[in-house]
Structure formats: C-alpha cells, structure tokens
Amino acid sequence: MEERFFALYRHEQGKLYRTAWAILGNEADAADALQEATIRAYRAFGQLRGGDVAFSAWMRRILVNTCTQILRKRMRVIPVERPEDLTAHPVTEVDLPLDGDVWDAVRSLDERYRAVVVLRFLNDMQLEEIAAALDIPLGTVKSRLHAAMKQLRNRLNALGERKEGRGVDAV
C-alpha cells in the first residue's frame, strides 16, 4: 500500500506544490500545506474510492482543504516582526511559473476566489472538477470564477494604467 501511494504521489507532487504555492502565496506555507496534505492522504489512502484514476483529484481536494485551513489560521495570527525583517526561504527545485503582475493579482484575491482561479488556470481543471475538488455547487464555482475574473480585470487595468498610462482590455 505504501509503495502504491508514493508511486501515485510522486507523479502529482510538482502540480500539488505549484497549486499550494499559488493559493498560499509563499514557499514556506506551500511546503507546510503539501506535507500536511500528504500525511492526511497517506493515513486515509485505504478509503480512496475509484482506484488510481481518482487519486489526483482526491489528493488535490485534500491539499486545497489544507491550504484553506492555513489561510484561515493566517487571518488569526498577529505578526510580531516586520515583514522586511523576515528572511526569504531558498528557492525550491520546483519550477514556479507564477511570477508577474497576473499572479500577483491572483494572490491578492480572497481565498475562495483564488482557489477557483488556481484550479481552473494553473491546474487546467474543468468547472465540474473544481466543484468536486472544493465540495461546492457548480453554480458557486461559476459565480466565484466570474467574480474573480472581474476583480482581476479591474486590478490589471488599474495596474496597466499606472504603468503605461493605459488599461488592459481583457484577462
């Protein structure tokens, strides 16, 4: 059972890390989320229904739930150090194509919108898959994605106007 779990896990690890990083916005929290989600999944692996084919979606759902818990905890924490005094974590081996204005805008979204955008565009998931992964109705996924895209469009237009004196037509 252990060998089967880790064989399936290794295939998904990079995508899972990128997903956590995109949702949480920093490497340390992404690594923590991935570790916690992996432990949870390993312990519950015997309960996985659908066989190996279902592993990817099942693992992604566990990870997204873990990321959401971290975001909620983060809201309750009062920082004791100034952000500029904190040291940066070393870059990991996983390629993170999440730099630039668009991903900065995505990271600034509320967690419920950010999760939908990350799953749709970083993981290329269909709306039905996102609904299943987040355990929310399809209509909620659609409305969150619509609201997120509107917010992103507005933020990128404002940024474009500041940078170049003109806006971005579409996201």
Side-chain angles (χ1 to χ4, degrees):
M1 180 174 97
E2 182 177 329
E3 290 176 18
R4 188 169 144 241
F5 174 84
F6 285 107
L8 294 168
Y9 176 78
R10 274 189 289 280
H11 181 69
E12 298 295 321
Q13 187 175 8
K15 286 188 267 184
L16 292 168
Y17 181 81
R18 285 188 298 275
T19 299
W21 194 89
I23 292 172
L24 296 170
N26 71 63
E27 295 175 31
D29 284 346
D32 288 347
L34 185 57
Q35 181 177 14
E36 180 64 30
T38 303
I39 292 168
R40 289 178 183 175
Y42 179 76
R43 289 179 179 159
F45 188 61
Q47 300 169 13
L48 172 63
R49 294 184 181 165
D52 294 356
V53 175
F55 181 81
S56 177
W58 177 75
M59 185 68 210
R60 192 170 36 244
R61 182 173 179 186
I62 292 170
L63 178 68
V64 170
N65 288 339
T66 303
C67 290
T68 301
Q69 289 172 348
I70 289 172
L71 288 170
R72 287 184 184 135
K73 285 179 189 175
R74 192 187 286 171
M75 286 189 254
R76 295 188 304 246
V77 173
I78 299 171
V80 293
E81 296 183 49
R82 295 188 322 252
E84 58 270 14
D85 293 338
L86 299 174
T87 58
H89 292 277
V91 176
T92 63
E93 303 154 11
V94 179
D95 181 32
L96 299 172
L98 305 175
D99 292 331
D101 295 337
V102 173
W103 283 107
D104 288 342
V106 169
R107 282 191 292 275
S108 72
L109 291 171
D110 180 81
E111 68 184 59
R112 60 189 173 176
Y113 299 127
R114 184 171 51 238
V116 172
V117 169
V118 166
L119 293 175
R120 176 68 186 104
F121 297 106
L122 183 65
N123 287 315
D124 199 30
M125 292 173 65
Q126 298 299 315
L127 299 180
E128 295 81 8
E129 294 173 308
I130 296 169
L134 297 176
D135 197 25
I136 57 176
L138 179 60
T140 303
V141 172
K142 290 177 180 180
S143 66
R144 286 182 185 178
L145 187 58
H146 176 76
M149 296 307 291
K150 184 176 181 180
Q151 288 179 28
L152 288 172
R153 191 175 300 112
N154 291 340
R155 289 174 186 176
L156 291 172
N157 272 332
L159 180 65
E161 289 170 4
R162 282 193 304 263
K163 281 187 171 183
E164 301 173 10
R166 60 186 172 95
V168 177
D169 291 329
V171 173

